Every structure is written in structure tokens, then in C-alpha cells.
Amino acid sequence: MDKTTQAQAPTDRPAPAAGVVPTAYGWCSWHQGSAENVRLIYAHEQGSGPGGGTFACEPCREENKLVPFADQP
């Protein structure tokens, strides 16, 4: 089927504004509490099971000079 004739699924969410980065809420492993704008710092991989990750909020990233996983070389 031609993609131009397929009906698009309606969404209840408005489109994000240009230049706006979505905010993630989660657990900050550095100050041990819930926080806004957490980013993955370390990915814990396991060979035969689920891995995990260590996340940090913006103030903890700045204070501890942490580089998010996606921004590491």
C-alpha cells in the first residue's frame, strides 16, 4: 500500500515545540532521589541477563562533572 494513502493514527499529544528537549523524570543515583531531567551516565551490560543503568540529574551532573552516556566519545 502506498504510504501517502494510509491513515495516520490520531495522537492526543501536541507536537513538541522546535528546539525543546523532552524532560525525563527518574531516579538520580548520585543524590539517591527522584529528579527531573535525568540522563544515563553508565550502562551496565550483562552477557546473559538484563543490564541496567546509572542515571544522574542535571545538578549532580554539573557538581560531579559527569558526562551523559550519549555524549561520551
Side-chain angles (χ1 to χ4, degrees):
M1 180 184 273
D2 185 11
K3 290 182 182 180
T4 58
T5 60
Q6 289 180 345
Q8 296 295 321
T11 61
D12 295 336
R13 286 186 241 160
V20 174
V21 178
T23 299
Y25 296 91
W27 185 261
C28 176
S29 298
W30 270 258
H31 77 261
Q32 298 293 306
S34 296
E36 179 181 10
N37 197 19
V38 295
R39 301 260 325 257
L40 177 66
I41 304 301
Y42 300 116
H44 308 286
E45 297 181 23
Q46 267 186 303
S48 63
T54 303
F55 295 83
C57 64
E58 188 171 2
C60 289
R61 289 193 311 267
E62 290 175 5
E63 182 180 327
N64 297 292
K65 297 177 178 44
L66 302 170
V67 178
F69 188 77
D71 298 338
Q72 294 176 10

